[in-house]
Every structure is written in structure tokens, then in C-alpha cells.
Amino acid sequence: MDARAISLVRTTFKAVAAVEGGPEKLTRSFYAILFARHPAVRDFFPASMVTQRDKLVTAIAYAIDQLEDLDRLLPFLAQLGRDHRKYGIVDAHYAAVGDALITALEQFAGNEIWTEEVDAAWRDVISVMAGTMIEAAEADDGPPVWQGTVVDHIRVLDDVSVIRLKLDEPLDYSAGQYVSVSIPSRPRMWRYLSPAIPANSAGEIEFHIRRVSGGWVSPALVASTAVGDRWTVGSPLGTMTRHTAGGRDRLLIASGTGIAPVRAQLMEMASRTDNPRVHVFYGGRYPCDLYDLPILQQIAATNPWLSVIGIVEEETDPWWYDGPQYRPTPGGSSPIVGQIGKVVAEFGRWTDRDIQIVGSPSMINTTKFRLQGAGVDLSTVRHDPW
């Protein structure tokens, strides 16, 4: 891929995204073309395509943003290729998807935008992406999915559950990564979750799950999961992993259940002796949203390289919350009241840190804006695309 091809692909996609309803229309057209040409492919997808269409746009946008950073893009695509083995996808499916996407883009863009040069640029980019995913899938000799049994379900808040599984065989993932999961009551509806503990040889794994209003999967996970349920887990994804020991100091920022991958990294680091300084900021709207803060403070109490600070927007819990009230652990402190991005940006200078942010898209974008305003180079900031 040369600079000209990358520019053409990026310009075309931005033109589509700028049109009102453009991304939704593009994905609707793409899937209509794909299913019309290859009806059997429809079985790979859930009955409702709403969430799937959003995922497609997010994945394409992320890949296009990273076209000039192949050191980041190619590992991401390789992970996707390994993960897509869970669907039973073969090489021919990648070609079918690429052709359908080209046709949808051409129909949407029109003759004025979609020139022969633009067509060639998109085919070049899609070829690199598909080739990377195919090569990674073919090189992976591990299982395409892992099966596991739910052994514990703790409802820590009305809309948040901690669910623990025992996998039939261990899953090797890096602390900070995420995996896709599927449950019997929601077939072919995969939900991405981050393990809250490091990988271990016993196959034990823990997820923190928040119920998303209007969601298809998370309400069932939070409200209906029972001990003994069987889950299917896909290959690990993501680059939110620990840097090498002795590297730059780190700033980790998380809100809500986004604390799960951060906690996994801290637990892994606590088992080592050579760690940089780590500052963790853990945010929520109410004190009760910081359900994992006592555990983080316990880790910090025995690891002098770690500092953990809670941040809440409201000083007291809501009137409807009747659970235990937050009490600082010995050596811990009560949460700071404020907006997480603003508090972190004003707390200190972070220009010498490797920074991770985990949370909702709005929280991530707001926090990045605040950090940038405080002088942070955004190239030092990482977050997963989903």
C-alpha cells in the first residue's frame, strides 16, 4: 500500500461517513449484496443485524485509521483472523466479503468519486487485510473456540455482574486483552468481554459485565446466567497489554466494568519484581459504581509502585441503592468528586507516561481531549477500537 492508495481509501470512506446515514446505508447495502450472492454465509450471523452492522463500521474505520501504522494494524488483523475461525470461515469467504464491500462502496459513492484508481486502491487495501487474516488463521493450530462452565455469578450491582467460568482447557491470553463470548440463549450473538484476571493453567476466567439498556446479549448475561451454564469463548484480541518490565511509567484510566482488563494487568504485574510506577484512576458516577476499588487498593497496599485513585461524579450513592457503602481499605482513600477526564488531566503531568484508557467511547474521547489539552502526546495513548 503506497501513500496515494491510502489517501484515496481514507478520502472515500470519509465521504461516505459524512453523508447523513451513510455508514448505516453502506453496511445495509454490503450485507444485502453479500447474502444475495452467497446465501449460505447468512448462517454465520445472528438473526438481528443491528449490532453486527455497527461492528463492521467500527472495524473498517479503525483499520483505515491505522493504514500508515502497520506495526499496529497487522497484529490487530492477525488477531481477527484467528478469532474468525470460530465461524468456520475459509479463504473463499474473505474474497466474497471483499467483493461485496467493493460493490457496496461503488454503488454508494457514484461514478464521480469511484474511479478506476479508487477501485484499485480499495482492492489493494482489502487484499492486504484479507491476506493477513488468512495467513494468521492458517498458522494457528489451537482450537477455534473454548468451552467453559459457569461456576459463580455475583450480582455486584443491579446492572453489573461478576461471572466466573472454568474452561475445559486453558486459554492463553495476555492480561488486558478481550475475548468474544457466546451463550446458548443468544446463538451467533458474540459479545466482547475482558478477563479480569490473568490467564492460568487451571482454565479459570472471570468477567465483569454491565447490562446495556436495549442490548441483545448483556441483559441475559447479567440477569439470567446460572451456575452450570455452558459458554463458548473465542480467541483473545486487543493490544491493551502490559509493557515490558522496566519500561516507562504508566497511567491507566478506566470507568465502570472497564476496570476488568486493568485489574488483570495489575494482578499480573504484582507477581513480578521489576515494575515501573503505575497510577490507576477508576471512575464511576456514584461510589457504588466503584465496586472493585477495595480489591485494587488491597493490591496497592502491598505494591509500592502502584497508586489507585477513585473518581465519582456524585458524592453519595443514589437513593435506590441499598447495597454496602464504600469504606476505604487501610491506606486507601475516598474517591475524588469530579469528571474523570478533567480530574486526571489536572492531577499531574503525564507527558512521560504510557497511557491506557478503557471505557465507553464518549469517556475515552473526552479523556483524550482533556489529556491533549494538558500537553499529552496522543501517540502515547492507547485504547481498544471496540
Side-chain angles (χ1 to χ4, degrees):
M1 296 180 293
D2 58 27
R4 175 65 176 170
I6 291 173
S7 177
L8 289 172
V9 166
R10 194 167 286 160
T11 300
T12 309
F13 190 73
K14 285 183 177 178
V16 171
V19 177
E20 184 176 358
E24 181 180 357
K25 293 177 181 177
L26 174 64
T27 53
R28 285 182 181 276
S29 177
F30 161 74
Y31 282 114
I33 294 167
L34 179 64
F35 297 157
R37 293 177 176 175
H38 307 276
V41 173
R42 184 64 180 84
D43 291 339
F44 294 145
F45 298 91
S48 171
M49 293 294 293
V50 176
T51 302
Q52 185 62 38
R53 286 194 289 266
D54 291 341
K55 289 180 180 178
L56 176 67
V57 171
T58 301
I60 293 175
Y62 177 79
I64 290 175
D65 282 344
Q66 305 299 324
L67 286 176
E68 292 166 323
D69 187 358
L70 295 183
D71 288 340
R72 180 174 294 187
L73 176 60
L74 296 184
F76 169 75
L77 292 173
Q79 289 179 357
L80 280 183
R82 289 189 289 270
D83 182 58
H84 277 52
R85 295 169 64 227
K86 69 192 180 194
Y87 300 113
I89 287 178
V90 297
D91 294 5
H93 294 132
Y94 286 99
V97 167
D99 289 342
L101 181 57
I102 291 291
T103 302
L105 284 163
E106 182 178 6
Q107 291 179 352
F108 194 93
N111 293 333
E112 292 185 4
I113 296 177
W114 196 264
T115 64
E116 290 185 3
E117 188 180 14
V118 169
D119 185 274
W122 271 97
R123 292 185 185 279
D124 185 24
V125 168
I126 290 174
S127 176
V128 171
M129 292 182 178
T132 303
M133 294 174 69
I134 290 171
E135 183 178 352
E138 292 178 345
D140 192 342
D141 56 2
V145 296
W146 286 256
Q147 303 293 331
T149 302
V150 174
V151 296
D152 199 8
H153 180 186
I154 305 170
R155 197 81 171 264
V156 294
L157 294 171
D158 180 63
D159 62 344
V160 175
S161 287
V162 171
I163 297 176
R164 300 185 178 113
L165 285 82
K166 180 72 164 56
L167 302 178
D168 295 348
E169 57 182 303
L171 169 60
D172 185 19
Y173 59 88
S174 298
Q177 288 191 298
Y178 58 95
V179 297
S180 55
V181 302
S182 176
I183 58 176
S185 63
R186 298 292 186 272
R188 301 193 302 277
M189 288 187 176
W190 295 87
R191 173 75 188 272
Y192 290 106
L193 301 174
S194 296
I197 60 174
N200 61 72
S201 59
E204 299 160 339
I205 194 167
E206 175 180 311
F207 298 113
H208 296 187
I209 306 166
R210 181 178 296 277
R211 182 185 66 232
V212 177
S213 179
W216 288 88
V217 179
S218 62
L221 291 172
V222 172
S224 304
T225 296
V227 172
D229 285 354
R230 295 283 290 174
W231 287 17
T232 302
V233 180
S235 296
L237 301 162
T239 59
M240 299 283 285
T241 55
R242 174 181 176 273
H243 288 199
T244 56
R248 280 159 53 99
D249 291 340
R250 305 181 66 196
L251 169 63
L252 309 180
I253 309 166
S255 64
T257 54
I259 199 62
V262 170
R263 195 236 269 183
Q265 292 178 75
L266 297 179
M267 292 177 67
E268 182 183 70
M269 294 175 72
S271 67
R272 303 175 185 270
T273 57
D274 182 16
N275 290 304
R277 289 184 303 161
V278 179
H279 277 79
V280 174
F281 288 88
Y282 176 24
R285 182 174 180 184
Y286 302 108
C288 61
D289 290 325
L290 307 186
Y291 62 91
D292 219 32
L293 185 57
I295 291 178
L296 301 184
Q297 290 179 334
Q298 288 175 15
I299 297 174
T302 55
N303 292 278
W305 47 265
L306 175 61
S307 173
V308 176
I309 298 170
I311 302 173
V312 292
E313 297 178 15
E314 304 288 343
E315 191 169 5
T316 59
D317 286 322
W319 62 269
W320 41 259
Y321 174 71
D322 60 357
Q325 301 301 304
Y326 171 75
R327 295 289 185 272
T329 59
S333 60
S334 296
I336 297 172
V337 179
Q339 194 275 330
I340 187 168
K342 185 173 187 293
V343 171
V344 174
E346 295 176 350
F347 198 89
R349 288 182 55 82
W350 308 113
T351 54
D352 61 341
R353 302 297 178 103
D354 285 324
I355 302 172
Q356 290 185 12
I357 309 176
V358 192
S360 66
S362 61
M363 175 269 189
I364 291 173
N365 290 332
T366 300
T367 303
K368 286 172 63 178
F369 175 78
R370 293 283 191 181
L371 291 172
Q372 186 177 35
V376 170
D377 180 354
L378 292 186
S379 67
T380 66
V381 179
R382 296 190 299 163
H383 57 86
D384 279 321
W386 306 107

